[in-house]
Amino acid sequence: MYQEIDLDKIDINEEPPIEEPDRQYYFMAKCRKWVKGFEQKNGRLPKSCVLNFGCQMNARDSEKLRGVLRAVGYVEGTEDNADFVIYNTCTVRENANTRVYGRLGQLKPVKKKNPHMMIALCGCMMQEPEVVEKLKKSYGFVDIIFGTHNIYKFAELLFTRCESERMVIDIWKDTDKIVEDLPNDRKYAFKSGVNIMFGCNNFCSYCIVPYVRGRERSRKPKAILREIERLSKDGVSEIMLLGQNVNSYGKTLDEPITFAELLTEIEKIDGIKRIRFMTSHPKDLSDELIDVMGKSKKICKHLHLPIQSGSTDILAKMNRHYTKEQYLELVRKIRAAVPDISLTTDIIVGFPGETEKDFQETMDVVRQVRYDSAFTFIYSKRTGTPAAVMENQISEDVIKERFNRLLKEIQKIAAEVCVVHEGTTQEVLVEDISGHDKTMVTGRLSNNLLVHFPGSLELIGQYVDVHLKECKGFYYLGELAGR
Ligand code: SAH
Ligand code: SF4
Ligand code: F3S
């Protein structure tokens, strides 16, 4: 286990071990020696900066990269002053890719000025062969390129680059491997993401994730529970279980276990006060899970349940395996079991063939469910997915007009839903000093909404009761209760 491994005790003159994670600790020890050499030469430690462009799983992967960098001796820098910049990329929509190329272009002159500088690219975008070709051809100043399946090999790749001074490229098509017990560096002391599974088997027809993240693999329950116990001992009280479809957790394990059973086990861990999870696919949300959520004292009163479209025809073309009516029935069951639950969703506007009538079905679901908030996306054509070659791709004008109508409706409803809690007192976990006013702190309610209230640094990580004085549409202004 990471905490127990002393890198200085590893014999780096021996051959590298074959087994993981020992092999990576060996390369971390080698990198540490390299870092010490850098320090001697330059009179300072090298700085690194990891930027993530994608979802919460992408953010969690970045914490793993930061964990390795910290272990080998790098200190935190910024994109402008770092000796090592790592972009952990996303490719779920075209604009995610565009952002990476834009930033990379800006890094080129920075690298020219700093002869020590290294640049690494990893994450979902690197799993696309066209991207790697383009990088090789036009972005020769990149030092390391690796993908999603071999992220655990980061230390080894970094060392290879330090030795060889040549571009290192290592991309795997898929993997069935999960390497446990590598370091990570949490952003917050009191809360953490926890991967429970990797990959996705659903192949929604618009989505590139199954192609770049590979087949679904669940971590063993024991490994998950051990990680959460360790986090709890380290001061973490809120965890977010992560997977592309957490509701199918455990189905492919040698000893199958359901997501609801896993939650029941996690609930027993002392010190954990809040449990969140994402994402839930409606087709796999079981009655057993709804029952566990209804009874739980720790599972937060928030469910993110992506609908994608309200039209049963479009849902079929999206390969989502549920109808509008089935989704609404699920919502009814969840609300019956957890009456004050907050519901959020993802919606795609402009999927190929979407008519005004289909769009109205989406608007209808939004009005019926009354989401606390919703992420709305303009359909983005992803090469290699079935939807990319479907007929009737929708014009940009039509999509934008629908998108704006949808956004307006969502915002109006969200403000109406948010105001319901105005005047109540609720327990919040204080997360940070407010970004707008240094005399205020920001806390999160069980239902995932934020409240800003007067307070200072020492409240961070604490649970306090806050009176929600005023609803501001999608957040609150409040004050500590009893004052
Ligand atoms: N596994 C999760 C979502 C992962 S991607 C789930 O199934 O809910 C996050 C969101 O991005 C999706 O819910 C979807 O709304 C959106 N998305 C995925 N592919 C997209 C595409 N090609 N164009 C626009 N939005 C997309
Ligand atoms: Fe993509 Fe669908 Fe898998 Fe989510 S469930 S990651 S939308 S294929
Ligand atoms: Fe993006 Fe990969 Fe997540 S494509 S949304 S970073 S799984």
Side-chain angles (χ1 to χ4, degrees):
M1 260 175 263
Y2 170 55
Q3 286 88 338
E4 292 155 20
I5 290 178
D6 181 352
L7 292 186
D8 290 330
K9 291 215 174 102
I10 297 174
D11 184 352
I12 51 174
N13 300 313
E14 294 266 319
E15 284 295 302
I18 304 291
E19 291 298 312
E20 299 291 2
D22 298 358
R23 187 176 172 87
Q24 296 314 310
Y25 282 102
Y26 169 90
F27 282 108
M28 278 178 236
K30 286 238 182 207
C31 288
R32 182 182 274 185
K33 191 173 167 219
W34 182 87
V35 164
K36 281 186 179 146
F38 180 104
E39 189 184 14
Q40 272 167 8
K41 223 175 3 186
N42 301 289
R44 63 174 180 88
L45 287 167
K47 298 190 188 105
S48 62
C49 172
V50 183
L51 287 182
N52 40 289
F53 289 76
C55 60
Q56 267 150 329
M57 264 151 286
N58 181 263
R60 182 68 179 149
D61 285 345
S62 293
E63 292 184 344
K64 295 176 186 168
L65 299 173
R66 282 191 204 103
V68 171
L69 290 165
R70 193 190 48 181
V72 305
Y74 274 86
V75 291
E76 280 279 321
T78 62
E79 214 178 346
D80 300 326
N81 70 13
D83 303 283
F84 188 17
V85 173
I86 299 124
Y87 286 167
N88 190 7
T89 64
C90 168
T91 186
V92 76
R93 286 169 290 274
E94 187 59 35
N95 56 7
N97 293 42
T98 319
R99 273 173 62 215
V100 169
Y101 288 124
R103 302 280 280 256
L104 203 52
Q106 288 170 12
L107 269 193
K108 192 177 180 180
V110 182
K111 181 163 175 167
K112 265 205 170 135
K113 273 193 236 149
N114 181 356
H116 306 298
M117 187 172 179
M118 285 196 291
I119 299 172
L121 294 177
C122 63
C124 294
M125 212 174 133
M126 300 306 122
Q127 293 296 138
E128 295 178 277
E130 319 77 78
V131 170
V132 176
E133 278 314 306
K134 181 168 170 171
L135 290 168
K136 277 204 276 195
K137 216 167 118 203
S138 316
Y139 296 82
F141 57 95
V142 172
D143 298 278
I144 309 174
I145 297 176
F146 57 104
T148 54
H149 304 303
N150 55 348
I151 185 168
Y152 73 86
K153 271 185 71 183
F154 179 49
E156 186 169 349
L157 297 171
L158 173 58
F159 183 71
T160 310
R161 172 65 187 78
C162 292
E163 287 280 276
S164 76
E165 307 243 316
R166 295 230 305 271
M167 194 191 233
V168 173
I169 304 181
D170 192 9
I171 312 277
W172 299 0
K173 274 211 159 69
D174 206 348
T175 184
D176 53 9
K177 205 165 166 164
I178 296 177
V179 179
E180 298 286 352
D181 298 323
L182 280 165
N184 70 67
D185 191 12
R186 286 197 311 277
K187 184 169 171 207
Y188 294 97
F190 51 87
K191 69 170 187 176
S192 179
V194 175
N195 296 108
I196 62 168
M197 59 206 298
F198 303 95
C200 181
N201 283 353
N202 291 305
F203 292 95
C204 302
S205 63
Y206 50 82
C207 185
I208 201 163
V209 171
Y211 304 88
V212 295
R213 284 270 169 180
R215 294 295 61 71
E216 190 177 294
R217 284 153 289 142
S218 292
R219 283 177 73 193
K220 292 205 172 81
K222 267 200 184 123
I224 298 169
L225 295 169
R226 191 177 59 195
E227 179 178 349
I228 299 174
E229 277 159 10
R230 219 189 288 157
L231 286 168
S232 163
K233 285 201 185 93
D234 200 26
V236 167
S237 65
E238 178 178 307
I239 50 159
M240 165 79 93
L241 307 174
L242 298 171
Q244 293 299 349
N245 175 12
V246 292
N247 298 333
S248 71
Y249 169 77
K251 287 184 183 165
T252 53
L253 285 171
D254 291 342
E255 292 172 45
I257 158 172
T258 64
F259 180 52
E261 286 165 346
L262 178 73
L263 281 170
T264 308
E265 288 307 308
I266 295 174
E267 177 111 9
K268 294 178 193 155
I269 299 177
D270 282 342
I272 297 299
K273 286 196 69 172
R274 283 182 169 182
I275 304 169
R276 301 183 186 276
F277 51 83
M278 78 185 307
T279 300
S280 285
H281 194 309
K283 80 176 165 66
D284 294 311
L285 199 143
S286 65
D287 288 347
E288 186 198 11
L289 176 62
I290 295 176
D291 190 44
V292 166
M293 289 175 75
K295 291 185 181 135
S296 169
K297 299 265 178 301
K298 295 186 177 177
I299 299 174
C300 287
K301 299 206 179 302
H302 170 221
L303 181 66
H304 185 64
L305 195 61
I307 182 157
Q308 313 299 1
S309 167
S311 153
T312 295
D313 289 348
I314 295 290
L315 285 169
K317 288 188 190 148
M318 286 177 161
N319 195 29
R320 289 289 288 180
H321 297 281
Y322 53 86
T323 64
K324 175 188 181 188
E325 288 68 31
Q326 284 166 336
Y327 183 92
L328 290 172
E329 174 59 12
L330 259 186
V331 168
R332 194 197 58 71
K333 279 203 253 177
I334 294 156
R335 288 226 160 105
V338 193
D340 42 356
I341 197 162
S342 135
L343 290 176
T344 58
T345 199
D346 290 349
I347 299 170
I348 297 175
V349 181
F351 183 83
E354 183 189 76
T355 62
E356 176 60 25
K357 191 165 157 283
D358 293 318
F359 176 69
Q360 283 306 329
E361 297 280 357
T362 301
M363 292 285 266
D364 183 47
V365 173
V366 165
R367 290 185 191 117
Q368 287 200 47
V369 177
R370 299 180 62 76
Y371 294 106
D372 288 68
S373 71
F375 295 100
T376 46
F377 303 108
I378 285 180
Y379 168 71
S380 173
K381 200 183 201 174
R382 308 314 289 134
T383 311
T385 63
V389 289
M390 283 183 187
E391 284 171 11
N392 296 324
Q393 302 278 333
I394 312 293
S395 81
E396 224 174 276
D397 294 352
V398 172
I399 297 186
K400 281 215 169 115
E401 191 273 329
R402 284 181 192 160
F403 184 84
N404 291 339
R405 262 190 287 159
L406 177 65
L407 201 63
K408 226 167 126 188
E409 192 66 19
I410 286 168
Q411 284 171 346
K412 184 180 125 233
I413 293 171
E416 288 166 11
V417 174
C418 181
V419 87
V420 171
H421 302 291
E422 198 177 71
T424 63
T425 294
Q426 303 214 14
E427 185 178 60
V428 311
L429 170 57
V430 184
E431 294 196 340
D432 239 324
I433 295 285
S434 161
H436 301 294
D437 181 346
K438 297 278 165 268
T439 65
M440 311 264 276
V441 289
T442 303
R444 197 177 290 275
L445 278 65
S446 170
N447 73 8
N448 212 35
L449 284 178
L450 295 177
V451 53
H452 305 286
F453 61 97
S456 51
L457 216 55
E458 67 278 1
L459 285 179
I460 293 177
Q462 311 255 350
Y463 289 83
V464 289
D465 287 334
V466 175
H467 176 64
L468 309 177
K469 273 193 352 195
E470 191 187 349
C471 167
K472 288 286 199 181
F474 55 95
Y475 66 93
Y476 300 94
L477 292 179
E479 63 186 4
L480 276 172
R483 300 209 166 176

